[in-house]
Amino acid sequence: MSRAAVVGAGMTKFGVHESPMQELFADAAFEALDDAGIEAGEIEALYFGNAMGGQTENETHLGPKMATHIGMAGTPVQRFEDACATSANAFKNAVQAVEAGVHDAVLVGGVERCTPETGKDTPEMTRIFGSASHRQYEQPSGLTFPGVFALLTKRHMHEHGTTEEQLAHVAVKNHGNGALNPNAHFGKETTVEEALDGPIVADPFRLMDCCPFSDGASAVVVVSDDLADSYDAPVDVTGVGHATDVVPIGDKREIGVTQAARDAAAEAYEQAGIDADAVDFAEVHDCFTGAEILASEALGLIEDGEGGVAAEEGRTARDGDIPINPSGGLKAKGHPIGATGTAQIVELTKHLRGEAGERQLDAADCGVAHNLGGDSATTVVSVMEARQ
Amino acid sequence: MSRAAVVGAGMTKFGVHESPMQELFADAAFEALDDAGIEAGEIEALYFGNAMGGQTENETHLGPKMATHIGMAGTPVQRFEDACATSANAFKNAVQAVEAGVHDAVLVGGVERCTPETGKDTPEMTRIFGSASHRQYEQPSGLTFPGVFALLTKRHMHEHGTTEEQLAHVAVKNHGNGALNPNAHFGKETTVEEALDGPIVADPFRLMDCCPFSDGASAVVVVSDDLADSYDAPVDVTGVGHATDVVPIGDKREIGVTQAARDAAAEAYEQAGIDADAVDFAEVHDCFTGAEILASEALGLIEDGEGGVAAEEGRTARDGDIPINPSGGLKAKGHPIGATGTAQIVELTKHLRGEAGERQLDAADCGVAHNLGGDSATTVVSVMEARQ
């Protein structure tokens, strides 16, 4: 049973862009519309995500600005912001509206500029990113996100014996995948030795354990299930789960367990009528290598505690038994915050259609996207399946 | 035919608050829950609005932060930002989800801190507010919102002979209403003479033509139509329209006509199965006195071009034929951006239940809320009716 279908997908290259946000978003949006073969005038609503435009470039109320720039002025549009889970939440609400019959066809996407092209340097961007952490308890202590995920990962290492080498294997895999992705921020491979030799950012994370700040945009066209077959290459959205967890991190019941991801995955799998065994591949939110390991377990793709071993053994490689982040993930593809969630949907769409080029997976009938925000306080998990 | 029902409503006093956003929002949320007689655990989702927390206090990802603070961690929540139409958009999406059967009971609300309590002074806040205007075409020219609405109003004066005295009558009426509202930022009356004697902010607006920056929060409980009767005092939501218009203002077809408001009103009235004649009263987005005049016409409550005359003649007063802004409006009640949209829903709920105290309107069976964002580029219009 499909809740809705994705019939068009587009994204910019992730990396460093001079173009303002409207132009970046237009590039992704037009590619998605062209891919679907749908006219802008047939789109009934826009679900738009941007995380930090107000803080980076004094740009808010971006919904109508984007709609205007892509020729959809008049269309209802709302901006979503849920930290790094921004555009996955836009996607969730879009699927919900289409399934309910409120709209037949909508455009969903996001854009972000996070590099010095915004005029903000890395310390300033780090402070801005830190706005997603708890204002009273975390920000004053200087706990930015490398530190948050370092704490989660350290706990996993303590409980399960996960090693820095295993973390490095995640980086090596994702950089290898990214080298096959023309839209990736980083097109270069790395090695375990290089990763382990990098400067420490937040113990246990070294430079190669951390994703970059990127500029970029992504967009998908979502239509109702009964319209899907009138498009060339529909892909079914069979489940979208969404859950939150407590903030600040100190209030979490178990910090090595990303509970929101487990709750969101359970909801998404139930909607899709599958269990984790049915999943062929996944795009997960690897803002840090440790986050990929936690996600692979929370989604039920790898046994609890085995995420590090699985990475080391190559189980999550493109030719492994459960490929994770064939796009290169946030680690190598890049992380333009508000564009990341729908970029995962773009990647799933490509593989499920058999259009992922050099990085195409052999078995790709069921894919999962996992997009988290803050210290895993928001997670959206989406299940997509090749249309039968 | 009701789309959903509001069964609980709460808000803080609007004004200057020392409390952080979580505490302000909790005050409004708990009042709404108590008013409904519903437990937090029965709320299935939170639709949350905040416009500028990232810019004012480095606070983003507020959805899970708010959910945690009010004991709803785990609940799905997303933050909406659509400039001054922020929480009306949250309300729209909540009504849609409840109507579709996705959720039975949800909490909708918003919060904002805009006063120097944030640590930002008025020039800084003006720059932050200006982020909703066009980044490339309007911000560099210094066109902030008093200027935007001054342009719209000047056009109306040019075309229809609207006068500064008529604008002053809007301020006098709304301050008079605000003096009856214990939650209003300004509890004092004013006079036409005082209004016309104020310093010019942006011609034709003087000080008393402009709403203040306020701190505050508001929230409502929305349940499905078929559950409504199990609550004490349900109010029906019969229509919610949402439209956008082009940005920047220079691209608008006719700047004296707020087209998005007309489109949103037409959609809301059609859903409700009414025309403007059926409306007994309205809460409209009077960020400036001229904006109320434009809104009263766009909603079809006053004939086009007659908005100024109607204000002068007292037609929009509490004892007039179509009372507008019995709460005092943004002008006197105040304008904590992300809380304004749902505060209008709170006010409609009070009158439709006959619980508006000293300012209760005699005839209040059908009310309309009109919440706009940016240079009228987003407008949400909601129709609410007393339950039969």
Side-chain angles (χ1 to χ4, degrees):
Chain A
M1 172 64 191
S2 182
R3 296 188 59 195
V6 170
V7 298
M11 64 180 284
T12 65
K13 181 174 166 60
F14 285 0
V16 179
H17 286 283
E18 287 183 5
S19 310
M21 286 194 281
Q22 291 97 315
E23 294 186 15
L24 280 177
F25 184 68
D27 286 345
F30 291 146
E31 186 179 314
L33 296 174
D34 286 348
D35 181 45
I38 194 170
E39 298 292 324
E42 295 173 71
I43 298 291
E44 296 174 8
L46 173 57
Y47 287 75
F48 173 76
N50 173 260
M52 308 179 309
Q55 295 154 280
T56 54
E57 303 187 84
N58 210 46
E59 272 269 41
T60 60
H61 202 208
L62 278 159
K65 291 175 183 174
M66 294 298 154
T68 298
H69 202 74
I70 61 173
M72 292 186 192
T75 308
V77 49
Q78 53 275 291
R79 172 197 165 201
F80 292 86
E81 180 273 310
D82 297 283
C84 303
T86 285
S87 55
N89 243 325
F91 182 70
K92 172 213 159 172
N93 280 272
V95 167
Q96 204 164 281
V98 165
E99 183 180 37
V102 176
H103 301 298
D104 287 329
V106 303
L107 184 69
V108 190
V111 63
E112 205 81 49
R113 298 215 314 162
C114 310
T115 71
E117 288 293 331
T118 57
K120 297 281 191 293
D121 62 14
T122 301
E124 282 179 291
M125 284 306 305
T126 300
R127 186 188 64 80
I128 289 172
F129 269 57
S131 65
S133 67
H134 199 284
R135 183 75 187 90
Q136 286 77 32
Y137 296 123
E138 293 176 332
Q139 291 183 39
S141 71
L143 183 63
T144 57
F145 285 100
V148 164
F149 283 90
L151 287 170
L152 300 180
T153 302
K154 272 284 188 188
R155 186 72 200 171
H156 196 272
M157 296 168 86
H158 173 75
E159 289 185 0
H160 303 295
T162 305
T163 66
E164 291 185 27
E165 287 75 11
Q166 290 168 350
L167 300 180
H169 276 282
V170 174
V172 171
K173 167 182 69 72
N174 288 353
H175 273 271
N177 293 349
L180 302 175
N181 184 351
N183 285 326
H185 192 155
F186 298 132
K188 72 186 181 90
E189 299 189 347
T190 187
T191 63
V192 170
E193 295 67 33
E194 183 182 37
L196 291 175
D197 200 37
I200 287 183
V201 174
D203 180 29
F205 297 146
R206 294 169 187 271
L207 184 62
M208 292 303 280
D209 290 295
C210 307
C211 75
F213 292 159
S214 312
D215 305 324
S218 61
V220 294
V221 176
V222 177
V223 304
S224 60
D225 182 45
D226 55 356
L227 282 182
D229 282 329
S230 56
Y231 293 89
D232 282 344
V235 172
D236 287 333
V237 182
T238 53
V240 185
H242 172 204
T244 63
D245 198 354
V246 292
V247 187
I249 191 175
D251 285 352
K252 287 191 198 298
R253 206 169 36 185
E254 295 182 70
I255 74 161
V257 172
T258 51
Q259 191 58 47
R262 289 167 193 262
D263 295 344
E267 185 187 1
Y269 294 163
E270 186 184 349
Q271 288 173 14
I274 64 167
D275 58 29
D277 293 344
V279 177
D280 295 319
F281 70 107
E283 285 283 307
V284 311
H285 197 90
D286 60 325
C287 44
F288 301 93
T289 51
E292 175 168 318
I293 289 173
L294 294 172
S296 67
E297 297 175 13
L299 295 172
L301 306 178
I302 302 291
E303 304 74 23
D304 277 341
E306 296 296 312
V309 174
E312 187 166 22
E313 290 178 347
R315 289 178 59 197
T316 56
R318 285 181 47 255
D319 59 358
D321 59 273
I322 178 70
I324 291 181
N325 284 326
S327 71
L330 284 62
K331 177 76 260 294
K333 184 180 58 182
H335 187 24
I337 315 296
T340 288
T342 35
Q344 293 180 328
I345 305 299
V346 172
E347 183 73 6
L348 261 52
T349 302
K350 301 266 183 218
H351 286 281
L352 293 165
R353 282 176 171 174
E355 294 177 355
E358 273 195 276
R359 66 188 186 285
Q360 176 67 43
L361 299 170
D362 289 336
D365 290 322
C366 177
V368 165
H370 158 279
N371 186 206
L372 73 74
D375 52 0
S376 68
T378 292
T379 310
V380 179
V381 173
S382 304
V383 179
M384 295 178 66
E385 299 181 56
R387 199 166 183 90
Q388 300 301 321
Chain B
M1 174 61 191
S2 181
R3 296 187 58 194
V6 171
V7 298
M11 64 181 284
T12 65
K13 181 174 165 60
F14 285 0
V16 179
H17 286 283
E18 287 183 6
S19 309
M21 287 193 281
Q22 289 98 314
E23 295 187 13
L24 280 177
F25 183 67
D27 287 345
F30 290 147
E31 186 178 314
L33 296 174
D34 287 348
D35 182 45
I38 194 170
E39 298 292 324
E42 296 173 70
I43 298 291
E44 297 174 7
L46 172 57
Y47 287 75
F48 174 75
N50 172 260
M52 308 180 308
Q55 295 155 282
T56 53
E57 303 187 84
N58 210 46
E59 272 270 40
T60 60
H61 202 209
L62 279 160
K65 291 175 183 174
M66 294 297 154
T68 298
H69 202 75
I70 61 173
M72 292 187 191
T75 307
V77 50
Q78 53 275 293
R79 172 197 165 202
F80 292 86
E81 180 274 309
D82 298 282
C84 303
T86 284
S87 56
N89 243 324
F91 182 70
K92 172 212 159 174
N93 279 271
V95 168
Q96 204 166 282
V98 165
E99 183 180 37
V102 176
H103 301 298
D104 286 328
V106 303
L107 184 68
V108 191
V111 64
E112 204 82 48
R113 298 216 313 163
C114 310
T115 70
E117 288 293 330
T118 58
K120 297 280 192 292
D121 62 14
T122 302
E124 282 179 291
M125 284 306 304
T126 300
R127 186 189 64 79
I128 289 171
F129 270 57
S131 65
S133 67
H134 198 284
R135 183 74 187 89
Q136 286 77 32
Y137 296 122
E138 293 176 333
Q139 291 183 39
S141 71
L143 183 62
T144 56
F145 286 100
V148 164
F149 283 91
L151 288 169
L152 301 180
T153 303
K154 272 285 188 187
R155 185 71 200 172
H156 197 272
M157 296 167 85
H158 173 75
E159 289 184 2
H160 303 294
T162 305
T163 66
E164 292 185 26
E165 286 75 10
Q166 290 167 350
L167 299 180
H169 277 281
V170 173
V172 170
K173 167 181 70 70
N174 289 353
H175 273 272
N177 293 349
L180 302 176
N181 184 352
N183 286 326
H185 192 156
F186 299 133
K188 69 185 181 92
E189 299 190 347
T190 187
T191 62
V192 169
E193 294 67 32
E194 184 183 37
L196 291 175
D197 199 38
I200 287 182
V201 174
D203 181 29
F205 296 145
R206 294 169 187 271
L207 184 61
M208 293 303 280
D209 292 294
C210 307
C211 76
F213 292 159
S214 312
D215 305 325
S218 60
V220 294
V221 176
V222 176
V223 305
S224 60
D225 182 45
D226 54 356
L227 282 183
D229 283 330
S230 56
Y231 294 89
D232 282 344
V235 171
D236 287 333
V237 181
T238 52
V240 185
H242 173 204
T244 63
D245 199 355
V246 293
V247 187
I249 191 174
D251 285 352
K252 287 191 197 298
R253 206 170 35 186
E254 295 182 69
I255 73 160
V257 172
T258 50
Q259 191 59 45
R262 289 167 193 262
D263 295 344
E267 186 187 0
Y269 294 163
E270 186 183 350
Q271 288 173 14
I274 64 167
D275 59 29
D277 292 344
V279 177
D280 293 320
F281 70 106
E283 284 284 307
V284 311
H285 197 91
D286 60 325
C287 44
F288 301 93
T289 51
E292 175 169 316
I293 289 173
L294 295 172
S296 67
E297 297 176 13
L299 294 172
L301 306 177
I302 302 290
E303 304 74 22
D304 277 341
E306 297 296 311
V309 174
E312 188 167 23
E313 290 179 347
R315 290 178 59 197
T316 56
R318 285 180 47 256
D319 59 358
D321 58 273
I322 178 69
I324 292 181
N325 284 326
S327 71
L330 283 62
K331 177 76 261 292
K333 184 180 57 181
H335 186 24
I337 313 300
T340 288
T342 35
Q344 293 180 328
I345 304 298
V346 172
E347 183 72 6
L348 261 51
T349 302
K350 301 265 184 219
H351 286 281
L352 292 165
R353 284 175 171 178
E355 295 176 356
E358 274 195 276
R359 65 188 187 286
Q360 176 67 44
L361 298 171
D362 289 337
D365 291 322
C366 178
V368 165
H370 158 279
N371 187 205
L372 72 76
D375 52 359
S376 67
T378 292
T379 310
V380 179
V381 173
S382 304
V383 179
M384 294 177 68
E385 300 180 58
R387 198 165 182 91
Q388 300 301 321

